[in-house]
Amino acid sequence: MAVHAHPDDESSKGAGTMARYADEGADVLVVTCTGGERGDILNPSLLHDPEVLADLPARRRLEMAAAASALGVRQTWLGFVDSGLPEGDPLPPLPEGCFALTPLTETVPALVALIREFRPQVLLTYDENGGYPHPDHIMTHVVSMAAVEAAADPEQYPELGAAWDVAKVYYHVSFRRSQMKAVHEALVARGLESPFGSWLEDWDDHDGRAATARVDVAGYYPQRDAALRAHATQIDPDGFFFAVPRDVEAEIWPWEEFELVRSTIPPTRPDGEPEEDLFEGIRTPVEVAP
């Protein structure tokens, strides 16, 4: 189960991992907390499209369905309303009734019900800062972690089904400096333009979150890219997400990274050695006869 704030988040964070596990036979469910109703149109070619402007929420639901199909996963809506990204100094108040202001007494049981119904062994979500400080991403973290704990407790929300303890919870670790630096240097060495030069100039030398798991997804770039393009109102097909040639990406940084933050499974790797499979310790590796 991957819990995300808005439609399109699932395609920019962990999409290759979900596509890989779905292809390998896992049942993968994306939970989208909001409908993305307040998202801006980020694709220049659709800024003035009358069909898009007529009903953006409906368009985003169609895009989400297409992205889920591209990844080979299931998807459901948690049912809350996009908070938007406030801008200004001072920041304006969040809109009444939005996800970030909805009481946890409403949001947490909604996710508890899905966890107990779906019974995931692995759950993916955001860190305490939301990956980046969007109010819906931060609230997704809060709701995810509270729901995991509540779902495991039979005394909480007994009316929502039998308790279920998620075996492993991971945070997405996206856009680390080490990743950007490695890809940037590879592009420059090949005489190609890098989209990361200005980022690295403004970035300190620290990676931030520690990646404790690396999943090789180089074989699933087509599914990931198709899912990104499915979110046509949010993703510019000529923009940042497609700036790095896929052969360079596969050679230099073929992984999606995660941080294990909660586990009922004893450690399977020596300290400092990243997992290569989010299901390590849960499923028994297939033994190949000599």
Side-chain angles (χ1 to χ4, degrees):
M1 175 182 284
V3 186
H4 286 284
H6 313 105
D8 77 75
D9 287 326
E10 84 297 325
S11 296
S12 60
K13 289 168 278 294
T17 297
M18 291 190 293
R20 172 177 170 171
Y21 285 128
D23 183 54
E24 293 177 353
D27 191 4
V28 180
L29 177 66
V30 172
V31 178
T32 313
C33 293
T34 80
E37 297 88 350
R38 292 189 170 96
D40 294 326
I41 298 173
L42 301 178
N43 184 345
S45 68
L46 296 178
L47 274 174
H48 306 292
D49 187 306
E51 293 185 8
V52 172
L53 296 174
D55 195 342
L56 180 59
R59 177 63 175 261
R60 298 207 69 187
R61 293 181 76 89
L62 291 173
E63 291 176 347
M64 182 66 253
S69 178
L71 296 175
V73 305
R74 294 198 280 153
Q75 185 269 340
T76 192
W77 304 92
L78 202 60
F80 298 98
V81 178
D82 189 347
S83 304
L85 182 59
E87 296 179 315
D89 186 12
L91 292 174
L94 293 172
E96 184 178 351
C98 70
F99 177 55
L101 295 182
T102 301
L104 296 182
T105 52
E106 297 179 33
T107 54
V108 171
L111 186 55
V112 167
L114 288 175
I115 290 173
R116 288 181 176 174
E117 176 185 1
F118 186 66
R119 296 161 64 91
Q121 295 168 307
V122 172
L123 185 141
L124 309 179
T125 190
Y126 310 145
D127 64 26
E128 298 90 342
N129 296 315
Y132 80 104
H134 188 299
D136 286 336
H137 284 242
I138 294 170
M139 185 55 69
T140 295
H141 160 79
V142 173
V143 172
S144 295
M145 301 309 290
V148 166
E149 295 297 330
D153 184 352
E155 295 186 1
Q156 293 196 56
Y157 309 109
E159 73 281 5
L160 298 180
W164 178 258
D165 198 359
V166 178
K168 301 174 82 174
V169 177
Y170 290 89
Y171 293 157
H172 294 279
V173 179
S174 304
F175 305 116
R176 290 208 301 159
R177 189 184 193 280
S178 55
Q179 175 187 4
M180 300 299 103
K181 185 174 185 290
V183 176
H184 170 77
E185 291 176 349
L187 291 171
V188 171
R190 289 163 171 77
L192 301 173
E193 184 177 353
S194 170
F196 305 127
S198 59
W199 289 26
L200 292 169
E201 290 175 3
D202 297 331
W203 211 330
D204 62 30
D205 291 333
H206 300 290
D207 256 343
R209 308 299 311 195
T212 61
R214 280 181 157 184
V215 179
D216 191 321
V217 299
Y220 294 91
Y221 291 161
Q223 292 92 324
R224 182 196 64 187
D225 289 351
L228 283 166
R229 290 191 176 95
H231 290 289
T233 58
Q234 294 291 294
I235 305 296
D236 180 356
D238 299 317
F240 161 81
F241 285 108
F242 304 99
V244 179
R246 294 304 180 234
D247 60 334
V248 175
E249 185 177 4
E251 177 185 344
I252 302 302
W253 204 277
W255 311 285
E256 288 176 345
E257 295 185 311
F258 305 88
E259 179 187 1
L260 180 63
V261 294
R262 182 185 186 277
S263 179
T264 64
I265 307 296
T268 58
R269 297 270 179 160
D271 286 346
E273 181 180 324
E275 296 177 302
E276 297 177 357
D277 177 6
L278 303 186
F279 289 92
E280 282 189 19
I282 296 174
R283 58 183 178 184
T284 303
V286 176
E287 294 185 3
V288 180

